[in-house]
Amino acid sequence: MGNFASVLCHPEQLPSFKLANVRKSGNKDTKSYSLFLSPPESPFGQRDQPSFKQLFCISDKVYQDEIDNHSEKAKSQKNIRTARPEPIKFKCDIVIDYDSIISVTKNDSAQSAKPMKSNSVDERDLEEEKQTFSEKEMKLTITYSDFKTITLYFEDAQEFHKTEEILMSINSPKERTVAILVNPVSGKRQGKHHVKKTLVPMLLSADISYEILETDSPTYVDTWVEQFNDKLFPYTDIICVGGDGLFFQLINAIGRSLKRDDLFKVPIGILPCGTQNAIVCDLGGRKVRDACINIVRGHTIPSDIMRINFEKQDEPIYATSLLWGITGEIATKAEKLRGLCKSAKYAIGGTLTFLSSCRLKHYKCKVEYKPMVPLGDSENRDEDHKEEGHKEEDHKEDRIVESENHSHLEEQRSKIRCISESAWSTFDLDDFCFFGIVTHEARNSKKKKEVFMPGARFDDKRMYMGSLAKLGKIKLLQFLCKHSAGNIMDCKRFSGTEVSEVRIAPRNDCPYNVDGELFPSDKAHIELLPSHLNLIGKIHCNK
């Protein structure tokens, strides 16, 4: 049920983490266990202790014996100055690993056992029946991603509700109907297989309804979204089974919809079956099984995206990343190899770009940007103004103090406005190897350490602009080695800047790589849309 069979800790720490007394059977004569919670920052001495919460059970007898032994040792050492006693290794009979739970359910079969009120029933008998019913109700069944289950029977109602609240906090018990969009030719063409073998069984186990929709043409997603312009959207979630391209198609189809404001609020999940899966890697879903668990749980992250307006296009583009420079050249060559090399197309495209000439091509571009607001935002300022207005009306006797505070706040806000409302800043480079603008770390789906912008988060209400100044082939190879090792920021020629808005005016004819899709060279205006999407997953689980 978990990844270890014992915990190493000091006995005096254990009582503060105790949750409940439980049994593995409804029979009162069965062995009793003590249920404990391991907090995120675990005090236990085990070297491979994971950083997420876990529940574990220790036999009551073992627990009590160790506590008694510890008490006796403490008494004998009372008058002796000694170091803290050595931690004790407790054998755990049950370990409940949060990262593999897909559903938690209460017992519903006891509803038929509800006592009926009757004049012929003695009050004592009624109380006994109520007690029996209460005991039948106090059990939780936990289902894991490998479909094994474990049932915990509780002895105390308060302990039961406390544990239920903890376990339900990682589960999504609401009624859901998900639309599963499958790109059958994405990546290694394994999307349909993963849906059938992994995702669907988990959805059924968690009692989640679903409909599978196969994207049989490039315009399928647009047509599918467009049909809901004049009727109710029947799904609670949308799942994209493919790579970054299918996700890109979906959010842009929604952006062109008449119901875009409502549809952008619908939770979107991703099952990684594409060539590149940079988006889902930053949502704790690098592996298919992990992504399925996140989808079943249904927890969402209010996520930032960017809106890109190209000068020669009427409709804006919605995306999470934009790359320009040598990365656009690589993507162009990789696109030509789509039918031949599949998942290796980017590596081969990069090699061909690198070897195609004696010197690297450099890319000239004028880049203007607005830096991020360091403190607060316009919404917070408006709320502060409203709160201060109410205070002045309700507390006129404190007007002098309020005035002083107001002056201080206005001074702070004026500094903020100078930053956020100032003229555009021009980037100090105009000759690049490449640059990119992202709303997340942009991890590589194949290598754990390869990250474009370390520290960027989907939910931090920021865009990040990273740029690499022009350099030669040897220095580029050194840069790629640092990137592959996860040390991209150690390169002196690479810089990162937090921005809220960017304007780009290319002087080279080089395509843009927008979430894996190619767009011709053009002037572009990029704006941040904070918390515009609800993405299913969890932040930063791939360290």
Side-chain angles (χ1 to χ4, degrees):
M1 291 302 174
N3 59 356
F4 62 90
S6 60
V7 290
L8 196 68
C9 67
H10 295 281
E12 70 267 19
Q13 293 175 320
L14 217 50
S16 61
F17 303 121
K18 186 172 178 180
L19 285 174
N21 290 319
V22 296
R23 299 185 303 275
K24 287 200 279 187
S25 167
N27 187 346
K28 278 194 170 184
D29 297 329
T30 56
K31 189 193 293 186
S32 181
Y33 297 88
S34 293
L35 184 67
F36 298 89
L37 171 67
S38 169
E41 298 298 328
S42 175
F44 305 120
Q46 187 160 332
R47 192 165 51 179
D48 61 344
Q49 178 74 22
S51 60
F52 46 78
K53 291 181 181 178
Q54 290 196 83
L55 294 171
F56 56 91
C57 290
I58 298 174
S59 169
D60 267 4
K61 186 178 184 308
V62 173
Y63 170 63
Q64 196 56 52
D65 288 346
E66 294 295 351
I67 292 295
D68 292 342
N69 290 337
H70 175 71
S71 299
E72 288 178 11
K73 282 184 182 179
K75 286 179 183 177
S76 63
Q77 296 175 355
K78 189 174 182 181
N79 299 321
I80 304 173
R81 286 190 175 184
T82 58
R84 193 177 186 183
E86 287 296 315
I88 300 169
K89 182 173 280 190
F90 287 95
K91 182 181 177 183
C92 299
D93 295 85
I94 309 169
V95 177
I96 304 169
D97 189 338
Y98 270 37
D99 267 11
S100 62
I101 295 175
I102 57 174
S103 70
V104 181
T105 54
K106 292 191 290 185
N107 177 36
D108 295 322
S109 60
Q111 295 297 331
S112 59
K114 235 176 189 178
M116 300 293 291
K117 289 188 177 180
S118 172
N119 295 330
S120 62
V121 178
D122 192 334
E123 287 186 8
R124 176 185 274 182
D125 294 336
L126 189 60
E127 286 299 319
E128 287 179 2
E129 287 184 24
K130 284 181 179 178
Q131 181 67 22
T132 303
F133 169 69
S134 177
E135 288 175 0
K136 284 182 179 178
E137 280 285 283
M138 290 195 299
K139 79 173 187 181
L140 292 172
T141 300
I142 302 158
T143 305
Y144 295 88
S145 58
D146 56 4
F147 308 110
K148 292 179 180 177
T149 61
I150 184 170
T151 302
L152 301 179
Y153 295 81
F154 292 80
E155 301 173 356
D156 180 84
Q158 189 173 353
E159 293 176 348
F160 166 74
H161 290 303
K162 182 165 61 172
T163 309
E164 179 193 5
E165 184 179 353
I166 290 170
L167 285 172
M168 287 297 185
S169 69
I170 61 163
N171 193 35
S172 183
K174 65 182 181 181
E175 188 175 336
R176 296 165 65 196
T177 302
V178 302
I180 305 173
L181 296 173
V182 183
N183 182 353
V185 298
S186 182
K188 296 181 179 180
R189 302 174 183 245
Q190 292 291 304
K192 291 164 71 175
H193 171 78
H194 289 311
V195 168
K196 181 180 178 181
K197 296 293 184 182
T198 309
L199 179 59
V200 166
M202 285 194 191
L203 293 174
L204 292 174
S205 178
D207 198 24
I208 297 172
S209 303
Y210 66 91
E211 183 179 356
I212 299 174
L213 306 162
E214 194 172 311
T215 61
D216 54 9
S217 72
T219 59
Y220 180 91
V221 177
D222 292 271
T223 306
W224 179 73
V225 172
E226 192 178 342
Q227 69 178 307
F228 301 110
N229 282 340
D230 55 359
K231 63 180 180 180
L232 185 68
F233 190 71
Y235 307 100
T236 59
D237 309 70
I238 306 171
I239 309 303
C240 297
V241 182
D244 297 334
L246 181 58
F247 172 81
F248 176 82
Q249 287 179 25
L250 175 63
I251 62 172
N252 280 282
I254 291 174
R256 291 187 288 270
S257 168
L258 299 178
K259 290 186 175 179
R260 69 174 68 87
D261 293 338
D262 294 329
L263 293 180
F264 269 132
K265 296 174 185 176
V266 175
I268 299 173
I270 306 172
L271 202 63
C273 299
T275 307
Q276 293 291 318
N277 304 291
I279 296 169
V280 72
C281 281
D282 284 337
L283 297 170
R286 185 189 299 275
K287 297 178 181 178
V288 168
R289 184 167 290 274
D290 293 340
C292 287
I293 292 171
N294 289 336
I295 289 167
V296 170
R297 289 178 180 174
H299 289 182
T300 59
I301 301 161
S303 303
D304 311 329
I305 58 171
M306 57 179 73
R307 181 170 57 208
I308 306 165
N309 286 282
F310 290 116
E311 188 175 62
K312 296 175 184 177
Q313 289 194 30
D314 297 330
E315 295 282 344
I317 303 297
Y318 298 90
T320 64
S321 67
L322 176 145
L323 303 174
W324 186 83
I326 194 171
T327 50
E329 300 281 1
I330 291 171
T332 302
K333 286 184 171 63
E335 195 63 25
K336 294 176 182 177
L337 299 167
R338 178 183 288 272
L340 299 173
C341 306
K342 307 213 186 296
S343 60
K345 63 180 183 179
Y346 284 102
I348 296 172
T351 304
L352 291 174
T353 303
F354 191 79
L355 298 175
S356 60
S357 61
C358 295
R359 291 188 177 183
L360 286 177
K361 181 180 177 182
H362 294 128
Y363 304 88
K364 290 187 176 293
C365 183
K366 182 181 179 182
V367 180
E368 297 176 296
Y369 68 95
K370 284 187 177 180
M372 278 304 304
V373 177
L375 297 170
D377 54 25
S378 59
E379 290 180 7
N380 291 339
R381 289 199 295 268
D382 291 340
E383 289 175 7
D384 289 342
H385 278 304
K386 289 177 184 176
E387 288 176 9
E388 285 163 14
H390 288 308
K391 285 178 183 177
E392 286 181 353
E393 289 176 7
D394 298 338
H395 306 285
K396 290 182 181 179
E397 64 275 9
D398 296 330
R399 185 171 295 277
I400 297 174
V401 178
E402 287 282 339
S403 177
E404 291 176 358
N405 291 337
H406 185 78
S407 301
H408 176 69
L409 287 170
E410 282 301 316
E411 184 181 348
Q412 294 291 326
R413 289 176 191 138
S414 64
K415 292 178 182 177
I416 294 171
R417 289 193 193 101
C418 287
I419 295 172
S420 62
E421 298 172 8
S422 61
W424 289 77
S425 300
T426 302
F427 202 65
D428 55 1
L429 288 176
D430 65 355
D431 205 348
F432 300 89
C433 183
F434 75 87
F435 69 78
I437 303 163
V438 296
T439 58
H440 57 110
E441 286 194 320
R443 289 176 171 268
N444 187 300
S445 61
K446 309 299 178 189
K447 297 181 181 180
K448 290 185 178 180
K449 293 182 179 179
E450 220 168 82
V451 179
F452 175 73
M453 189 55 64
R457 300 289 181 272
F458 267 115
D459 61 347
D460 62 4
K461 300 182 180 180
R462 281 168 168 70
M463 289 194 303
Y464 296 81
M465 183 167 63
S467 63
L468 183 66
K470 67 176 182 179
L471 34 69
K473 286 189 175 182
I474 294 175
K475 297 223 176 204
L476 179 60
L477 282 174
Q478 292 173 343
F479 168 79
L480 292 174
C481 289
K482 288 181 181 292
H483 182 213
S484 184
N487 302 319
I488 191 171
M489 288 299 180
D490 291 347
C491 181
K492 293 179 181 178
R493 307 285 283 176
F494 183 83
S495 63
T497 309
E498 295 181 10
V499 296
S500 61
E501 216 170 331
V502 183
R503 287 195 302 228
I504 305 169
R507 295 170 188 164
N508 292 70
D509 186 15
C510 176
Y512 292 99
N513 181 352
V514 182
D515 277 351
E517 301 295 319
L518 291 172
F519 289 85
S521 183
D522 191 6
K523 288 184 178 180
H525 181 199
I526 300 105
E527 299 172 274
L528 175 67
L529 301 178
S531 303
H532 209 67
L533 289 180
N534 279 322
L535 298 184
I536 297 173
K538 51 186 179 180
I539 288 293
H540 237 230
C541 302
N542 296 307
K543 287 296 187 187

